[in-house]
């Protein structure tokens, strides 16, 4: 029987080769990056967490490890093959096929309480401008007081105009972000960015 992590990585590469702009990376996030994505998340019983673009579940695994009982989790993933894989890997979590642009409607459809944290693996710097703006607008509608939004950007892409534009758009709505030190144990290395409302 094939190792689940290897199966996930192979699935990730296949989808990347089919649509590199949509996936944004050649490999899933490393365990180190995924672990740092959930560092200091203060989740209590009854809190809700939303993951945008869980992919094959690298960050999802770390989220799963820190979820208190009775916490509501929703993963929104546009790639149906990834959703099937995620359902197998994490049968006790809720994943739906959909786009982050429709996150507000999908959360309402799934009857999710307001999110305490929104975690994103979306490749914002490679998304078309209108799609990026629609996702940010959706995040804005979902972020209540005290909610955090966390994503990452690859170091090589950080100075790109599209990456800067994303950060500027986020700053205009949520203020300045916190940026982590470079996470070198990832392919490619990345910064973790956090905003809080």
């Amino acid at each position: 029987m094939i190792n689940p992590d290897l199966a996930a990585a192979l699935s990730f590469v296949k989808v990347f080769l089919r649509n590199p702009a949509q996936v944004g990376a050649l490999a899933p996030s490393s365990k180190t990056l995924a672990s740092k994505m959930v560092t200091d998340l203060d989740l209590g019983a009854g809190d809700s967490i939303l993951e945008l673009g869980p992919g094959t579940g690298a960050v999802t695994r770390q989220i799963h490890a820190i979820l208190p009982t009775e916490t509501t989790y929703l993963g929104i993933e546009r790639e149906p093959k990834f959703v099937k894989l995620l359902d197998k890997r994490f049968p006790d979590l809720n994943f739906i096929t959909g786009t982050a642009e429709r996150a507000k409607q999908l959360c309402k459809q799934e009857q999710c309480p307001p999110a305490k944290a929104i975690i994103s693996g979306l490749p914002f710097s490679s998304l078309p401008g209108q799609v990026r703006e629609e996702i940010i607008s959706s995040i804005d509608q979902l972020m209540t007081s005290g909610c955090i939004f966390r994503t990452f950007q690859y170091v090589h892409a950080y100075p790109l105009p599209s990456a800067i534009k994303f950060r500027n758009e986020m700053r205009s709505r949520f203020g300045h972000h916190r940026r982590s030190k470079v996470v070198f144990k990832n392919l490619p290395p990345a910064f973790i960015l956090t905003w809080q409302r």
Side-chain angles (χ1 to χ4, degrees):
M1 184 174 172
I2 191 166
N3 178 300
D5 290 336
L6 179 57
L10 291 173
S11 179
F12 194 97
V13 171
K14 284 179 188 175
V15 173
F16 170 83
L17 292 173
R18 194 174 75 231
N19 193 343
Q22 179 181 309
V23 177
L26 183 56
S29 298
S30 70
K31 185 176 180 180
T32 301
L33 178 62
S35 177
K36 289 182 182 297
M37 284 286 286
V38 304
T39 297
D40 75 15
L41 284 188
D42 185 21
L43 299 172
D47 285 339
S48 175
I49 185 164
L50 173 65
E51 187 176 11
L52 304 175
T56 56
V59 177
T60 313
R61 175 188 284 173
Q62 300 302 318
I63 293 171
H64 190 256
I66 65 159
L67 286 179
T69 55
E70 299 178 21
T71 298
T72 303
Y73 168 93
L74 177 63
I76 300 173
E77 171 57 55
R78 71 180 304 153
E79 175 53 55
K81 288 183 179 178
F82 287 169
V83 174
K84 286 177 82 171
L85 180 69
L86 291 162
D87 282 335
K88 285 182 184 174
R89 295 185 80 189
F90 309 99
D92 54 333
L93 297 182
N94 184 21
F95 300 97
I96 56 174
T97 304
T99 62
E101 301 97 288
R102 296 190 62 244
K104 174 72 173 176
Q105 299 96 307
L106 295 171
C107 285
K108 186 176 180 182
Q109 170 191 303
E110 297 297 309
Q111 300 180 340
C112 293
K116 180 77 178 283
I118 301 171
I119 306 297
S120 174
L122 300 174
F124 285 102
S125 59
S126 64
L127 293 175
Q130 184 177 346
V131 172
R132 185 180 64 244
E133 288 167 17
E134 288 176 9
I135 294 171
I136 292 171
S137 178
S138 189
I139 291 166
D140 193 9
Q141 295 173 58
L142 289 166
M143 281 185 72
T144 55
S145 179
C147 179
I148 76 153
F149 173 79
R150 183 168 286 163
T151 190
F152 59 86
Q153 286 188 327
Y154 297 123
V155 172
H156 71 274
Y158 195 80
L160 294 178
S162 57
I164 294 168
K165 187 159 179 131
F166 163 71
R167 296 193 303 274
N168 287 341
E169 289 166 348
M170 290 293 289
R171 185 175 65 242
S172 72
R173 294 181 189 242
F174 308 110
H176 290 282
H177 65 278
R178 292 193 325 266
R179 189 184 82 182
S180 72
K181 294 179 181 177
V182 177
V183 180
F184 287 105
K185 290 185 176 179
N186 191 69
L187 184 63
F191 293 113
I192 295 171
L193 311 179
T194 303
W195 283 266
Q196 185 162 14
R197 173 158 274 174

